[in-house]
């Protein structure tokens, strides 16, 4: 047990070093934590619970070594608290450690499976390598249990099961170098196949033994052990040997690597599986190099004539290719080009005029979206018509995929815009309801404090006049004259109140008369210019009127002495436009806009209009608005 635990700790330290060399310090720290706690548990078994917590921490922090979400941090914190309590106050038993390890492994595996589909390509490869190692570890444990049941070997399962767990940090280490990281998808697929075949082998042996109703003894056990080992060895070597034999057979036919047709069919298959696009391009370039361009393959992606080298094998530095409008038009309509064509339209892509090269534009409906570039060494054979056909078809599929990506991006932007507009609409509705409640309270207050007080005073004076009329007719006449004045004031108060709700002049005579009547309530010199050919719907005129009134009142408050106000209203291009300008103090837009501007924006927005503000300190303020109308 001690040797197995020490070996696992050593492999974890190797994984930490590999992560550090790959420029991933957070992952290196997490792997180092597991190595240290595993080594401590080797020396002192009472520290096994913290080692289990460290394994869980590493599993939840993959692929970067960071616990980015609150649930992961919460689970990790609870695990460490439980481990500390267990190590300090409770006995550490083998069964308890096995149970905790299994629970932690299931939790970490669920996290890896949840994060893998949406992780970017480099991080997804780390998760795929860990998943492959997990599959191999699980299969190894099952095989160990089966062999123990069949043959009673090994006598102590735990050291061997612990040693099998060294495959996990080994997988993490293999995910760090670029050369092995790109094999992650293949490693996961082969791990699943090998694990499945291994489980099939041990299942068959178990079924045979149970069917014979006879457990092997003596020499039978040796024969059965040898056959099990031979079968498992064949399983492990089957896939690698198959690939080597296929490659040898293909080389006998004069070809090396993947055929062009295989590259075409594999790319279509990956597209149908909805592989993430960055991973899809990387796999495409690897296939292109293997099938068509032994000297290298590249994919360039961009729009509006600006193309970026996105993926290349062997890896090349990032570069930008800029095309003029004419060049973009010609390239987008070209199916495939060689050295002579490139020397005219894209000479920057030619590195060796003696080396064969092909460029297939990835376009959609003539719109250039990218390029597929394949190169062969100078001594390589020229591209055949079949090679060109495959490259053209691949470029067509890539162009379609890029076009779909643009549509998806546009859709996401539209959805985000709709979401923002929905939030603004909800906020606007809330402000409108709040403003309506405030308006009702203001009307109630004005009625109580203004018109109602006038009516109460009239009632009192009428009662007094009735009493005086019996004794002093002259005094009663004077009091009646006062009542007449009070009645006129009450009438004016009611008119003022009605004017604030919906001005009668606006209803009867339109915007021009209604805004000119505001002159007496404006403290600044005031000019109105209205040029409207007809009347417009009530809600349009009301919105424009109250926006102008709000802007006029703001000018009266903030423009300063000596300023003047000018209001202009006209119809232009199907829009009713208005502006309220003053030559006062002005302000910096965005710093002094209060509820008044919000109210105006909401009023116009409710009927499809919009508001804009132009101002600068010392240069006055102009508020402009427009509303769609017919006519």
């Amino acid at each position: 047990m001690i040797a197995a635990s020490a070996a696992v700790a050593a492999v974890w330290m190797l994984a930490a070093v590999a992560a550090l060399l790959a420029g991933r310090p957070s992952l290196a720290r997490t792997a180092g934590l597991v190595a240290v706690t595993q080594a401590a548990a080797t020396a002192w078994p009472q520290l096994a619970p913290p080692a289990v917590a460290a394994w869980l921490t590493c599993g939840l922090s993959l692929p970067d070594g960071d616990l980015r979400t609150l649930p992961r941090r919460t689970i990790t914190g609870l695990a460490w608290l439980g481990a500390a309590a267990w190590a300090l106050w409770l006995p550490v038993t083998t069964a308890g450690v096995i149970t905790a390890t299994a629970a932690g492994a299931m939790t970490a595996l669920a996290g890896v499976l949840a994060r893998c589909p949406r992780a970017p390509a480099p991080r997804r490869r780390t998760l795929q390598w860990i998943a492959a190692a997990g599959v191999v570890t699980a299969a190894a444990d099952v095989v160990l249990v089966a062999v123990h049941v069949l043959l009673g070997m090994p006598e102590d399962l735990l050291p061997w099961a612990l040693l099998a767990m060294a495959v996990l940090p080994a997988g993490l280490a293999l995910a760090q170098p670029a050369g092995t990281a790109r094999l992650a998808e293949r490693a996961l697929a082969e791990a699943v196949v090998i694990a499945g075949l291994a489980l099939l082998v041990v299942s068959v042996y178990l079924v045979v033994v149970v069917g014979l109703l006879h457990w092997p003894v003596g020499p039978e056990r040796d024969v059965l052990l040898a056959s099990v080992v031979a079968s498992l060895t064949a399983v492990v070597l089957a896939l690698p040997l198959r690939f080597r034999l296929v490659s040898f057979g293909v080389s006998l036919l004069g070809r090396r690597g993947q055929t062009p047709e295989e590259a075409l069919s594999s790319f279509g298959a990956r597209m149908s599986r909805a592989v993430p696009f960055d991973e899809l391009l990387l796999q495409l370039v690897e296939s292109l190099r293997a099938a068509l361009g032994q000297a290298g393959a590249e994919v360039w992606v961009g729009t509006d004539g600006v193309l970026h080298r996105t993926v290349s094998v062997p890896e090349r530095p990032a570069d930008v290719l800029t095309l003029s409008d004419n060049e973009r038009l010609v390239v987008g309509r070209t199916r495939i080009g060689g050295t002579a064509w490139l020397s005219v339209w894209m000479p920057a892509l030619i590195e060796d005029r003696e080396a064969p090269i092909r460029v297939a534009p990835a376009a959609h409906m003539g719109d250039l979206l990218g390029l597929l570039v394949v190169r062969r060494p100078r001594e390589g054979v020229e591209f055949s018509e079949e090679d060109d056909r495959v490259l053209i078809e691949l470029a067509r599929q890539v162009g379609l995929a890029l076009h779909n990506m643009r549509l998806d991006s546009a859709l996401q932007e539209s959805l985000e815009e709709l979401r923002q507009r929905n939030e603004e609409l909800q906020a606007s509705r809330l402000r409108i309801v709040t403003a309506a409640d405030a308006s009702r309270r203001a009307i109630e207050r004005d009625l109580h404090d203004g018109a109602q007080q006038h009516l109460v005073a009239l009632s009192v004076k009428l009662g007094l006049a009735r009493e005086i009329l019996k004794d002093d007719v002259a005094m009663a006449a004077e009091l009646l004259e006062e009542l007449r004045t009070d009645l006129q004031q009450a009438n004016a108060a009611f008119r003022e109140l009605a004017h604030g709700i919906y001005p009668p002049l606006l209803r009867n005579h339109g915007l021009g008369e209604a805004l000119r009547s505001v002159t007496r309530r404006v403290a600044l010199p005031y000019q109105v210019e209205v040029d409207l050919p007809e009347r417009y719907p009530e809600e349009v005129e009301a919105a424009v009127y109250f926006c102008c009134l709000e802007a006029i009142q703001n000018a009266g408050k903030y423009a300063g002495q000596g300023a003047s106000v000018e209001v202009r209203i006209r119809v232009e291009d199907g829009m009713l436009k208005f502006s309220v300008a003053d030559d006062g103090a002005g302000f910096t837009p965005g710093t002094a806009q209060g509820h008044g501007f919000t109210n105006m924006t909401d009023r116009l927005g409710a009927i499809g209009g919009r508001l804009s503000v132009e101002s600068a300190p010392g240069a006055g303020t102009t508020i402009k608005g427009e509303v769609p109308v017919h006519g």
Side-chain angles (χ1 to χ4, degrees):
M1 178 68 79
I2 294 177
S5 181
V8 172
V11 180
W12 270 112
M13 187 57 67
L14 178 64
V17 173
L20 189 63
L21 294 176
R24 303 172 74 176
S26 296
L27 185 58
R29 285 194 297 270
T30 307
L33 174 65
V34 181
V36 171
T37 55
Q38 187 67 41
T42 304
W44 188 21
Q46 189 68 20
L47 292 179
V52 174
W55 280 73
L56 176 61
T57 301
C58 185
L60 292 177
S61 67
L62 292 172
D64 297 310
D66 295 322
L67 298 168
R68 298 182 181 275
T69 62
L70 181 60
R72 283 193 272 171
R73 290 194 291 268
T74 302
I75 294 173
T76 302
L78 292 175
W80 279 101
L81 288 175
W86 187 3
L88 291 174
W89 296 302
L90 298 175
V92 177
T93 63
T94 301
V97 172
I98 293 175
T99 303
T101 302
M106 294 299 294
T107 304
L109 178 61
V112 169
L113 294 177
R115 293 190 294 276
C116 189
R118 62 177 183 270
R123 302 300 183 250
R124 187 166 57 252
R125 295 187 191 117
T126 299
L127 296 175
Q128 289 171 340
W129 266 112
I130 291 295
V135 169
V136 172
T137 301
D141 289 339
V142 173
V143 170
L144 285 171
V145 172
V147 172
H148 179 75
V149 171
L150 286 171
L151 306 171
M153 299 175 59
E155 294 182 3
D156 189 0
L157 273 177
L158 290 181
W160 292 94
L162 179 60
L163 187 61
M165 295 180 67
V167 177
L168 291 169
L172 183 62
L174 289 171
Q176 307 312 311
T180 54
R182 62 187 181 87
L183 302 175
E185 188 176 71
R186 179 176 172 181
L188 178 56
E190 293 192 16
V192 171
V193 173
I194 292 174
L197 292 176
L199 295 179
L200 176 63
V201 168
V202 296
S203 299
V204 168
Y205 276 100
L206 283 172
V207 169
V208 170
V209 170
V210 172
L212 293 175
L213 298 177
H214 171 66
W215 294 98
V217 293
E220 295 177 346
R221 295 179 60 182
D222 296 336
V223 173
L224 183 60
L225 176 61
S227 64
V228 170
V229 172
S231 299
L232 293 177
T233 303
V235 165
V236 172
L237 297 178
L239 283 179
L241 184 60
R242 175 185 177 276
F243 285 120
R244 297 297 183 275
L245 292 175
V246 169
S247 298
F248 177 70
V250 170
S251 65
L252 293 177
L253 299 176
R255 296 201 308 260
R256 298 184 62 187
Q258 192 178 33
T259 66
E261 282 295 338
E262 289 172 343
L264 181 58
S265 61
S266 64
F267 181 74
R270 293 186 187 112
M271 285 187 64
S272 64
R273 294 203 309 265
V275 176
F277 195 69
D278 53 353
E279 182 71 20
L280 186 67
L281 289 183
L282 178 59
Q283 295 175 3
L284 171 63
V285 170
E286 292 172 347
S287 298
L288 284 176
R289 187 191 184 191
L292 294 171
Q294 292 75 25
E298 308 165 16
V299 173
W300 297 67
V301 176
T303 56
D304 299 326
V306 180
L307 303 175
H308 299 264
R309 181 186 283 143
T310 305
V311 187
S312 59
V313 176
E315 189 170 351
R316 295 170 177 261
D319 199 359
V320 179
L321 182 65
T322 304
L323 304 177
S324 65
D325 291 340
N326 290 336
E327 291 172 339
R328 179 160 58 96
L329 183 63
V330 172
V331 173
R333 295 182 177 179
T334 301
R335 301 184 68 194
I336 197 164
T339 305
W341 182 84
L342 286 172
S343 63
V344 176
W345 299 106
M346 290 183 290
L349 293 179
I350 300 177
E351 297 178 353
D352 185 353
R353 291 186 175 274
E354 302 298 325
I357 183 175
R358 282 292 187 273
V359 173
H364 182 78
M365 304 295 290
D367 184 14
L368 181 64
L369 302 175
L371 299 172
L372 301 187
V373 182
V374 290
R375 307 174 189 273
R376 288 180 176 174
R378 177 179 294 191
E379 63 276 8
V381 298
E382 287 292 337
F383 289 91
S384 65
E385 293 184 2
E386 179 63 15
D387 295 336
D388 289 348
R389 184 192 67 80
V390 170
L391 194 57
I392 291 170
E393 179 60 22
L394 282 172
R396 185 192 67 80
Q397 294 185 21
V398 171
L400 180 61
L402 291 171
H403 176 69
N404 290 338
M405 278 190 59
R406 290 177 61 181
L407 292 180
D408 183 66
S409 299
L411 177 60
Q412 294 299 325
E413 292 176 0
S414 299
L415 290 175
E416 179 64 19
E417 182 180 354
L418 287 175
R419 185 189 64 79
Q420 293 178 355
R421 294 191 65 179
N422 183 55
E423 292 177 355
E424 292 173 357
L425 178 60
Q426 291 178 347
S428 175
R429 287 176 174 174
L430 179 60
R431 290 194 298 266
I432 290 172
V433 171
T434 304
D437 291 340
S439 179
R440 284 192 292 270
R441 289 193 295 270
I443 292 172
E444 180 183 1
R445 183 181 63 250
D446 291 342
L447 285 172
H448 180 272
D449 297 340
Q452 183 177 346
Q453 298 303 316
H454 285 289
L455 294 178
V456 170
L458 285 173
S459 176
V460 171
K461 286 187 177 182
L462 281 173
L464 183 60
R466 184 181 61 182
E467 296 296 329
I468 295 176
L469 187 59
K470 301 175 183 177
D471 302 325
D472 191 341
V473 177
M475 184 176 293
E478 293 179 3
L479 188 56
L480 288 173
E481 185 62 29
E482 291 180 9
L483 283 171
R484 178 173 175 274
T485 302
D486 291 344
L487 185 60
Q488 292 175 342
Q489 292 176 351
N491 184 47
F494 277 112
R495 284 183 178 274
E496 188 70 22
L497 184 60
H499 190 86
I501 299 173
Y502 194 93
L505 278 175
L506 178 61
R507 179 184 297 109
N508 298 329
H509 301 286
L511 283 167
E513 293 296 326
L515 287 172
R516 292 187 185 95
S517 69
V518 179
T519 304
R520 59 187 178 85
R521 292 184 289 170
V522 179
L524 301 176
Y526 174 67
Q527 181 180 352
V528 178
E529 182 180 324
V530 179
D531 183 14
L532 299 178
E534 58 180 313
R535 295 292 302 274
Y536 295 97
E538 184 176 288
E539 63 273 13
V540 172
E541 292 189 343
V544 173
Y545 171 80
F546 284 110
C547 285
C548 290
L549 186 61
E550 183 82 43
I552 293 167
Q553 291 172 348
N554 285 343
K557 292 178 183 178
Y558 305 114
Q561 295 182 354
S564 60
V565 180
E566 183 179 34
V567 179
R568 295 177 180 272
I569 302 177
R570 69 189 188 283
V571 172
E572 183 178 305
D573 299 329
M575 304 290 287
L576 195 158
K577 300 183 178 183
F578 68 88
S579 64
V580 179
D582 68 70
D583 54 1
F587 63 94
T588 301
T591 60
Q593 298 182 18
H595 295 294
F597 293 100
T598 302
N599 293 338
M600 288 187 281
T601 301
D602 288 345
R603 281 186 182 277
L604 295 180
I607 56 175
R610 56 185 177 182
L611 185 82
S612 62
V613 180
E614 298 175 1
S615 185
T621 302
T622 300
I623 297 175
K624 297 181 179 180
E626 57 183 26
V627 180
V629 293
H630 299 289

